[in-house]
Amino acid sequence: GIFGNVFNFVVKNFFDFINEYRIEEFKRLVSHEQYKRYTFLALALEVGFSSKTTFNRAFKKFTGKTPREYFGSEGDMQLEGTS
């Protein structure tokens, strides 16, 4: 019914809200020198993603690009754990 539809809408938007913050935190960490030795996958897990697939899907949704496309050649060394 209506309650189920509203509940599903709220839950979906809540997860989008959380994942958008996770992506922003991920991008912030990538730019910090102390995290340069981390792979993208390690950073994704650090900000709260539970899998590579979930991270990649959310990253593409909120940036319009894959991590490799977004960070370009500067991120190539960090991409061993993602794709």
Side-chain angles (χ1 to χ4, degrees):
I2 282 188
F3 176 75
N5 290 339
V6 169
F7 180 77
N8 287 338
F9 177 78
V10 169
V11 168
K12 182 178 179 183
N13 283 324
F14 174 76
F15 284 113
D16 282 348
F17 175 78
I18 295 299
N19 284 339
E20 188 171 13
Y21 271 92
R22 287 175 174 163
I23 294 298
E24 291 305 312
E25 180 66 2
F26 173 87
K27 292 189 301 187
R28 189 183 73 77
L29 293 181
V30 166
S31 69
H32 279 264
E33 189 62 37
Q34 72 189 69
Y35 292 99
K36 293 292 184 188
R37 62 185 176 86
Y38 286 66
T39 64
F40 280 1
L41 179 57
L43 288 175
L45 297 173
E46 182 74 20
V47 300
F49 286 101
S50 60
S51 73
K52 177 173 68 173
T53 302
T54 303
F55 164 70
N56 283 332
R57 188 177 298 128
F59 196 93
K60 178 93 175 194
K61 179 176 186 172
F62 293 109
T63 67
K65 298 178 178 183
T66 66
R68 183 181 297 275
E69 292 167 340
Y70 187 88
F71 291 102
S73 60
E74 76 181 47
D76 283 348
M77 291 179 62
Q78 293 182 317
L79 288 169
E80 296 167 5
T82 65
S83 40

